[in-house]
Amino acid sequence: MLCAGLLLLLLGTAAPASAHAALRTTDPADGSVLGTAPRHVTLTFSESVGLLTDSFRVYAPDNHLLRTGAADHVPGRSDTARVPLPAKLATGTYTVAWRVVSADSHPVSGALTFSVGKRTATAASPVPDRTENPATAALYNIARYLSYLSVAFLLGSAAFVAYCRPPAAAPLRTPALAAAWTLLATTTVLYLLRTPYEEGTAPALSLRDLTHPAATRPGALLLVRLVLLLLAGAAVTLLRARRRRLPRRTTLVVAASLSLPLALTWTAAEHASAGIQVPVAITSGTLHLLAMAAWLGGLASLLRTLPRTSLATLARFSRLAFASVTVLVVTGVYQSWRGLGSWQALTDTTYGRTLLAKLAAVTALLLAAACSRTWTTRLLHIRATRTTPAVRTPEPANGPPLPPLPPEPATPLPDPPFHVLRRSVLAEVAVAAVVLALTTLLTSTVPGRAAVEAAEARTPAAGIPTASVTTVPFDTGTPGGHGMVQVTLDPGRVGRTSVQAVVYGPDGGLSTVPELRVSFTLPSRRIGPLDTKLTDRGGYWAADSFGLPMPGTWTMRVTVRISEVDQVSVTRNVRISG
């Protein structure tokens, strides 16, 4: 219980999870200055996305919300969303806040700016943060983890009873019932939180929260899960009322027919439902989930019934666990390849690092399982070798038969030391809870393949000079005297380059200052300082042509004056290529 509580705390207080649809390109480009106003704002993602009622919010230079047309997809492109803009846009800088839902059910949001004619400062407050509501995100993540935990025990205990046939299954009745009610409750919570989770709002209960999710694939699958659970509950109640016990084969068929569609309500709504090889991925993900439930849920069931179990039950569970681990390894290798795409993504992406942590936990779980399997095999071997053979009475060649030999006293077998196995299984169950938590976090992280592809799509092709962007925070030590300066060298290489500098105030919006100076020094060659001679262009500062004579690590000095007496100078190192 302590382990589960700590994991719930971790999931509830975790930082906002990245969604899975990575932004590839935008039109207009972020930070661009356009000669004429665009007709649309278009975003292209790494996978198909769904649109919300307010997926796009466009703010004018004076920070008031523009009236735009209805957002839609580009014809034939479910991964590209756009919103029409008003026919006439005033000169200045516009901010676009966007939020969409990726194909694997997770929302993704962001913002970009573009300018018409020239950049301008924004005097109003910055665009509100629509990333996600902490309370909604915490409740949603906790409900997802509890649903994984409960379905693992529910399906695993059913497989344990049907295949392993423990002498006494009564101890599993109460925890199985608790798991069923927990799964029913968490599924209901996930459905009610679906709309606030997508829109990044606080938890609420309204008519729209009840009707909107049903029109989306994740919400429809949650409804299917609820129906399956209610049907299963009704069937069990009916059989108990009639006091009927189904044959073992019938029980296995019914359990399999319920487990398969129940597992599909997870895999058809998450990672496997988007990206490459979707049919194979959904099949692999479903088998992975069922094998995980059979192994980990079976472990918990074995722990519950250990005092009353038999060696035959242990032998059957050992075979079940071995088959489950085999399926987990095969499907896990495929899913890792599909999610990563390259060895580099294993260490360079959050998905890869989380996967490494899960692999470490699974390795520990396999070691504990190997100890349990070794113990079970040894005990079965001892029991087999200690079986007393039948005693035959020798017959003489001639004469009367000899009297029968007295039977040898039976060697009593000691009671199996189940406390040893109990400790091993308890360790397995504790590590299994960690594995499930890491699985929950993994399904809330951008797959490494998508993250790398999106980064490559935003990287200019080889041979094209790239811009150098450096952000320099500053603080004069006076109230309201802090912010940051974003300095762009285009291109960031030796020779003539243009310099642009934008000042952001304490509220994150564009700010105007009476004076801004930027100079460069190359200490290793004793060159400089070279003044860029920036001029105020009405909202930003720029120098159309500035020369950097040599490659190397230059020291950039930024001096910001915010009043007649308040100014500060900050230095940063900037790498200039040849």
Side-chain angles (χ1 to χ4, degrees):
M1 291 297 294
L2 177 61
C3 181
L6 291 174
L7 292 173
L8 288 177
L9 181 63
L10 169 66
L11 291 169
T13 58
S18 301
H20 303 157
L23 181 63
R24 289 183 181 275
T25 61
T26 67
D27 184 17
D30 186 17
S32 60
V33 179
L34 309 175
T36 58
R39 298 182 59 185
H40 296 84
V41 172
T42 305
L43 307 181
T44 302
F45 297 89
S46 59
E47 64 182 48
S48 59
V49 295
L51 299 177
L52 306 172
T53 53
D54 60 344
S55 278
F56 290 87
R57 295 182 183 179
V58 182
Y59 293 84
D62 59 1
N63 214 51
H64 79 269
L65 186 64
L66 289 181
R67 289 187 177 181
T68 62
D72 62 357
H73 292 93
V74 172
R77 296 289 303 276
S78 60
D79 62 345
T80 304
R82 65 182 181 181
V83 61
L85 299 176
K88 294 183 179 180
L89 295 180
T91 299
T93 299
Y94 292 78
T95 303
V96 181
W98 53 268
R99 186 178 183 88
V100 296
V101 181
S102 60
D104 54 7
S105 79
H106 298 280
V108 57
S109 60
L112 62 95
T113 62
F114 68 90
S115 302
V116 178
K118 65 176 182 178
R119 292 188 177 94
T120 56
T122 302
S125 60
V127 177
D129 182 15
R130 303 177 63 218
T131 303
E132 61 182 13
N133 181 275
T136 300
L139 290 174
Y140 197 85
N141 287 333
I142 290 173
R144 290 179 67 241
Y145 175 69
L146 289 176
S147 67
Y148 272 118
L149 203 63
S150 54
V151 76
F153 183 81
L154 194 61
L155 298 184
S157 61
F160 182 79
V161 171
Y163 179 76
C164 301
R165 303 195 298 277
L172 296 176
R173 188 171 300 164
T174 300
L177 189 61
W181 279 110
T182 301
L183 183 57
L184 187 66
T186 53
T187 303
T188 304
V189 170
L190 288 172
Y191 182 84
L192 295 177
L193 289 176
R194 188 65 215 172
T195 299
Y197 178 68
E198 289 181 351
E199 298 181 351
T201 57
L205 186 59
S206 63
L207 180 61
R208 187 167 180 272
D209 294 334
L210 296 175
T211 57
H212 172 70
T216 65
R217 183 176 60 178
L221 289 170
L222 289 172
L223 286 179
V224 170
R225 189 185 304 170
L226 283 173
V227 171
L228 289 173
L229 292 173
L230 292 175
L231 288 177
V236 171
T237 302
L238 182 61
L239 289 174
R240 292 188 63 184
R242 296 184 177 183
R243 297 183 178 180
R244 293 184 58 185
R245 177 173 293 182
L246 296 177
R248 179 170 171 267
R249 285 188 177 181
T250 305
T251 304
L252 287 172
V253 171
V254 172
S257 62
L258 173 65
S259 301
L260 183 60
L262 193 62
L264 281 171
T265 62
W266 272 273
T267 55
E270 295 189 345
H271 278 168
S273 63
I276 62 174
Q277 303 176 355
V278 171
V280 179
I282 290 181
T283 302
S284 174
T286 303
L287 292 175
H288 195 84
L289 179 60
L290 292 175
M292 177 272 297
W295 184 24
L296 303 187
L299 269 177
S301 301
L302 178 63
L303 182 64
R304 178 74 176 178
T305 60
L306 260 183
R308 300 178 178 87
T309 195
S310 65
L311 292 180
T313 299
L314 290 177
R316 295 188 193 101
F317 178 73
S318 182
R319 292 192 294 269
L320 176 64
F322 182 79
S324 299
V325 169
T326 302
V327 174
L328 285 171
V329 170
V330 174
T331 56
V333 169
Y334 169 75
Q335 291 180 145
S336 298
W337 167 81
R338 183 177 181 270
L340 289 172
S342 66
W343 289 108
Q344 181 182 359
L346 193 61
T347 55
D348 291 355
T349 64
T350 303
Y351 181 91
R353 290 187 289 270
T354 307
L355 181 60
L356 286 176
K358 180 182 176 180
L359 290 176
V362 170
T363 301
L365 187 58
L366 289 174
L367 291 175
C371 294
S372 299
R373 184 176 175 84
T374 301
W375 182 92
T376 303
T377 303
R378 184 178 303 171
L379 190 59
L380 289 172
H381 178 71
I382 293 173
R383 174 61 61 93
T385 56
R386 288 189 177 182
T387 302
T388 304
V391 178
R392 298 183 60 185
T393 303
E395 297 181 1
N398 297 304
L402 297 175
L405 295 176
E408 295 183 5
T411 303
L413 290 177
D415 292 333
F418 283 119
H419 64 278
V420 178
L421 181 61
R422 184 179 182 85
R423 286 197 293 266
S424 177
V425 175
L426 186 60
E428 289 184 66
V429 171
V431 179
V434 177
V435 171
L436 285 176
L438 291 172
T439 300
T440 305
L441 293 176
L442 201 61
T443 57
S444 301
T445 308
V446 181
R449 183 188 294 270
V452 171
E453 289 178 354
E456 290 176 349
R458 293 192 296 267
T459 302
I464 300 178
T466 59
S468 169
V469 181
T470 306
T471 301
V472 183
F474 68 87
D475 190 350
T476 62
T478 59
H482 63 277
M484 64 179 181
V485 181
Q486 180 176 291
V487 180
T488 303
L489 303 177
D490 190 10
R493 58 185 301 177
V494 170
R496 308 307 296 182
T497 182
S498 65
V499 184
Q500 293 183 353
V502 181
V503 182
Y504 295 92
D507 59 1
L510 297 178
S511 177
T512 57
V513 294
E515 185 179 4
L516 179 66
R517 297 192 305 272
V518 177
S519 62
F520 288 84
T521 304
L522 186 59
S524 61
R525 296 300 180 92
R526 298 183 180 180
I527 300 176
L530 306 178
D531 190 4
T532 57
K533 299 180 180 179
L534 297 178
T535 58
D536 188 357
R537 303 291 179 87
Y540 71 102
W541 297 72
D544 294 330
S545 181
F546 170 71
L548 291 169
M550 299 185 67
T553 301
W554 290 72
T555 300
M556 179 176 67
R557 183 181 182 88
V558 179
T559 301
V560 185
R561 182 166 64 86
I562 63 173
S563 68
E564 293 297 328
V565 294
D566 297 316
Q567 77 173 34
V568 64
S569 295
V570 185
T571 60
R572 284 290 184 275
N573 290 333
V574 178
R575 178 67 183 174
I576 302 299
S577 59

